Amino acid sequence: MKRTSIAIMSSILLFASCKDTTPEKKPEPKMTKNPLLTEWNTPHGVPPFDKIKSSDYLPAFKIALKENQDEITAISESTETPTFQNTIEALEFSGKYLSRLQRIFYAVNGANTDDTLKAAAKEITPAMAAHGDFVNLNAKLYDRVKAVYDQKDKLNLSPEEARLLEETHKRFVRAGISLQGKAQDRLREINKRLAKLSGDFSENLLDETNAFEYHTKDKKELGNLPASLTSLAVEEAKNRKHKDGYSFTLQRPSINPFLQSSPSREARKKLFDGYAMRANNDNDNDNKAILSEMATLRLEKAKLLGYESHAAYILSDNMAETPEAVYGFMDKLWPSALAMAKSEREALAKKMKSEGVSGTFAGSDWRHYVEKVRKERYNFDEEETRPYFEVNAVRDGVFALAKELFGLTFKERSDIPKWHKDQQVFEVLEADGKHLGIIYMDFFARPSKRGGAWMNALRSQMNVDGMVTPIVTNNFNYPAPSGDSPSLLSFTEAETLFHEFGHALHGLFSNVKYESLSGTNVPRDFVEFPSQVMENWMSEPQVLRMFAKHYKTGEVIPDVMIKKMKDANSFNGGFATVEYMAAAYLDMAWHSKTEDIPTDVNAFEAAAMKKLGLIDEIIPRYRSTYFGHIFSNPVGYSSGYYSYLWSEVLDADAFQAFKDTGNLFDPATAKRYRKMLSMGGSQLGMDLYKGFRGSEPEIEPLLKKKGFK
């Protein structure tokens, strides 16, 4: 997701800080033997992952929760006249250990989980939801916040202080502080239940994904699968206790290349159906009842809070503002995207028929024939490009781009503890050598890691009692090196690295006072903008030549290959847009309902896609039962998956600002862009954008980019 970059457990809204020291330093909790509850004498205050055990998290949470409850009680019971300092800032600075724990636990549990962490999550997640209600539904606390808010015009606050006050007050209101009696009791029950269900959804999805295997001894079924990926399939078979043969899983580095290369329609269909039916097989890992209940509870909660739908509630705090605005925006693009996808389908079906293959062209055939049509039309074979996208070379490419644009350098640190041996850790330095932050990069797929790609902030920037610098992570699911073969990426996989690095820069560039307004703490439909901007540079020949070099020979990617690659990538753009938009529409279908959430999940999904006119050969990028973006978190991307497309309007327009200068690395434009990112959530998203661009974004650059105009 590409990733979840907004503060973990955003629904909890603790207003807590990741700061290593607060303005009034508090004593360590009594259980100081637990490394999660001590001050860290590590380089730049990174977590001591070499000392932290999975069994440390649950007891640490119990202590940190009690500590924060005492802090909140002290603020709410104070007899002092409420002020910005003793109420708003006191909330902001509370929960030192709890905030730190949240960030680390959810980052590690997502990227390197085990049975102990899974069991801990079942207790921690509902407990955190209940604690969120303890804070946000605390009437005495809100009375103090409101007392400060009511005199905001007389307080002579700085713009950022005023923003913190506004956001603090708004979060109490949106959390349901106005509800009384049974209504508030019901809200607490809903929040606790949603927390549990979202955890169950995630665990089911991970278990279901890991359980699937397609094993074959027939090498012919692999087609022209690259040697590096063939070696991985051999290793996977051994890991699954087969004496020989090849095993393929539902992890994207395994399934997608197989669907592209295998000549066996039967084998492709088994893998395709396995992916499309995840957590939808009426077994112990089935998610249909879970997601239906989640949608029902979200609607009930929205109505308790005075909104007609969950989408109306969520979007009221986003740039889009209303479900009607989201539908209106997507409806402008859908017809062109669908028409393009239908044209692509005709070309693919024609190619299959020309090979004498009988039967109807199907979704499991799509990726296979895309590669054949690209080769036929453009003399392009994606496998020829993989040697130019070795994972460390692509990493160096984003580093080089960051240096060209912003003067940054990246120093690998072998002295910093990691949560997994595959992680790489870098110190990020300004042009003058000043420390900016730390970035962890975790590239390879494994059973303990959830699917997709994402960024975490292990510590967010703040500057209250001295600068606290950020610590961020980038997480991927790339094919691991195997034998003598390094990890070689497709163009799309390489593009994902640029995308997630854009999120990392958003966190690293933050330069605000308060942690809750820093980094990626911005509206959901703004958060994907900085990541997608980076993808624009990825495909520019000038940038490709900086890093795309053959891993064996060192040869820079030839211009003729760049042209063929760009031409070939223009084909199948309809599929990519339709697959994504179908999922965005599905998200809105679940969450814009105002009554009667269906229990027949498959029938509801089918009806929603039929209404769109989605062709049978394309399924949503995420079907309901494995739509982790919207169901793996009490809130997550629910009613917000459209934001990738919304952000594409911003990113296409923003990149045009660089192109208009005639210099893709224009220093003045880069400086304005960095300033925008440095402000985090201290201003409204559109105000930030207009500060950079001078006006609201135009949709024309996106239409041209997608070939719709």
Side-chain angles (χ1 to χ4, degrees), residues 13 34 77 97 128 133 178 287 372 417 444 490 501 590 677:
L13 301 174
N34 190 317
E77 299 288 344
Y97 287 104
M128 291 302 298
D133 287 340
S178 63
N287 274 334
K372 292 197 170 189
F444 307 124
S490 68
F501 188 73
W590 278 112
L677 297 193

Side-chain angles (χ1 to χ4, degrees), residues 647-673:
S647 293
E648 277 195 75
V649 175
L650 300 178
D651 86 68
D653 185 72
F655 192 62
Q656 190 64 42
F658 284 89
K659 295 179 74 173
D660 288 345
T661 69
N663 177 7
L664 295 180
F665 313 119
D666 180 63
T669 309
K671 185 177 181 180
R672 293 200 318 275
Y673 178 73

Side-chain angles (χ1 to χ4, degrees), residues 210-221:
N210 288 337
F212 182 92
E213 173 196 20
Y214 177 69
H215 179 258
T216 180
K217 296 181 180 180
D218 186 357
K219 191 173 183 179
K220 292 180 181 178
E221 288 191 1

